Every structure is written in C-alpha cells, then in structure tokens.
Amino acid sequence: MKKRFDDTLNTAVLTTKFVFIDKKPILSVFHHEDDGMWEFIGDDECTNDSDYLIVSLEEMIKLDESILEISDLPIGGVAYRAGSRQPWIIQ
C-alpha cells in the first residue's frame, strides 16, 4: 500500500524558494509541534522571511514523491537525509 499524508492535498505547507523554484533537494522535514504545519527545506541557509513560500502539500508531493516515505512523521518530529537519494532518518 502506498503511503499518504493524513492531511488533505490542499493543506498549506512551508518550503523555500530554493526547493520550490530552484528545485534543490528536500533534505529536512519538520512537522511543527505548535501548529502541526509541515516544513520542507533543503540545505540552503534561509536568511529572511522572503526565502520562504507557502504552497500546497500536493505541490510538494509532485515535486518530490519520496516525502511520502515520511508521511507518518508525528507532530514534533524531524526527518533528514544527506542527499535526495539517501534514506530518511527520523528523529
């Protein structure tokens, strides 16, 4: 059975312009404890709020289906990997 997120596909998530526009790999995923929001980032340093974008969960899945592997990441959880073809490590 293919994994899926419990959230709806139109759920708003955070990412960066480096991941979404520049197509840099997603290397860290945070499932925020305070509000349950998902955050998908790469290894680029975000220096200000304008580096972040709000997009739909569906857009992130289309960008990188490997995030489905961690769709059950609990609230407050963090997942990371060394590269786009590396396995996810859950904290």
Side-chain angles (χ1 to χ4, degrees), residues 45-85:
E45 185 174 330
C46 296
T47 56
N48 56 54
D49 289 344
S50 66
D51 291 335
Y52 286 92
L53 301 171
I54 297 175
V55 300
S56 72
L57 180 58
E58 181 176 29
E59 289 175 295
M60 292 308 299
I61 294 168
K62 285 179 181 176
L63 187 67
D64 184 350
E65 287 190 0
S66 75
I67 64 173
L68 290 169
E69 296 171 20
I70 52 165
S71 61
D72 58 353
L73 186 69
I75 289 179
V78 177
Y80 61 92
R81 61 186 175 179
S84 62
R85 299 195 192 295

Side-chain angles (χ1 to χ4, degrees), residues 25-45:
I26 298 168
L27 301 178
S28 298
V29 176
F30 302 90
H31 197 180
H32 292 217
E33 188 166 2
D34 57 344
D35 58 8
M37 189 169 215
W38 289 91
E39 182 177 348
F40 303 91
I41 61 173
D43 64 354
D44 294 292
E45 185 174 330

